[in-house]
Amino acid sequence: MPVSWDLSAGRNLLIARDERLAPPSVSLDLAAMSVLSGGTHDVTVLDPHRRHRWVTELGPGQSSSARTAATPEDMTRVVTDLVSAPGTRPRMLLVSDLAATVAALDHRTRALLTEAAVTARERRLTIVATTADPNPRWFPEHLIYAFDDVVEPQAVPGRYREPRLWAR
């Protein structure tokens, strides 16, 4: 079942995925392609599994507004920049596997990532993240609740699990 989400609303989106049914990176690839092709946002991808290298491998001129960070050091630098530097253009942060990203970060950077998510609107930042388990107990306090909208596969009797968009 298709799910629609409006990027212009400035709301953070958490995609709870079932890895048995779909590759985990498809939703982030679609978000990145949409934003990069429209030229509406600067795009940053926190990518501990290195699935989104293509974002910075685009043709000349197109990749200037996109970057990826895969190592803990690079992710720490990116998160610190997002929190400390005011955005002159709207920015989008894509987090491939939120649990793996949080696990790779030190305590200080986890707190900065949470701060960025909680104050995203003031920072002209939209965060889209995927996770296999959106249970807040696995994440820093307030991080999961900073996602305004959540897409979760819901069990429907007699059918496969269908995605549903939940607004908080």
Side-chain angles (χ1 to χ4, degrees):
M1 168 181 248
V3 172
S4 173
W5 178 73
D6 184 6
L7 172 64
S8 66
R11 296 170 59 89
N12 294 333
L13 176 66
L14 181 65
I15 302 165
R17 67 185 192 285
D18 186 339
E19 291 183 356
R20 297 169 297 161
L21 300 178
S25 63
V26 169
S27 51
L28 292 186
D29 287 345
L30 292 173
M33 283 188 287
S34 173
V35 169
L36 290 172
S37 66
T40 59
H41 291 67
D42 291 333
V43 177
T44 302
V45 184
L46 299 182
D47 186 18
H49 302 301
R50 294 178 165 87
R51 293 179 178 139
H52 302 278
R53 287 188 210 137
W54 68 269
V55 170
T56 54
E57 294 172 357
L58 297 173
Q62 295 178 353
S63 61
S64 61
S65 65
R67 63 182 173 166
T68 60
T71 66
E73 296 80 19
D74 289 344
M75 290 189 287
T76 296
R77 192 170 22 261
V78 164
V79 171
T80 302
D81 288 349
L82 287 174
V83 172
S84 63
T88 56
R89 280 177 33 112
R91 297 173 292 175
M92 175 176 266
L93 175 64
L94 303 174
V95 183
S96 175
D97 195 339
L98 186 60
T101 299
V102 167
L105 301 175
D106 61 28
H107 181 72
R108 180 185 152 282
T109 309
R110 289 178 192 158
L112 287 175
L113 179 61
T114 301
E115 179 184 339
V118 169
T119 61
R121 285 192 184 142
E122 294 85 43
R123 297 176 188 284
R124 299 185 69 194
L125 175 65
T126 301
I127 300 175
V128 178
T130 64
T131 186
D133 185 359
N135 190 320
R137 72 177 178 219
W138 304 120
F139 299 97
E141 188 175 8
H142 306 296
L143 179 58
I144 291 297
Y145 298 115
F147 289 91
D148 307 296
D149 299 315
V150 179
V151 174
E152 290 183 288
Q154 298 295 309
V156 177
R159 294 183 158 179
Y160 292 106
R161 293 165 58 95
E162 296 181 351
R164 301 274 190 227
L165 180 64
W166 302 99
R168 291 193 171 141

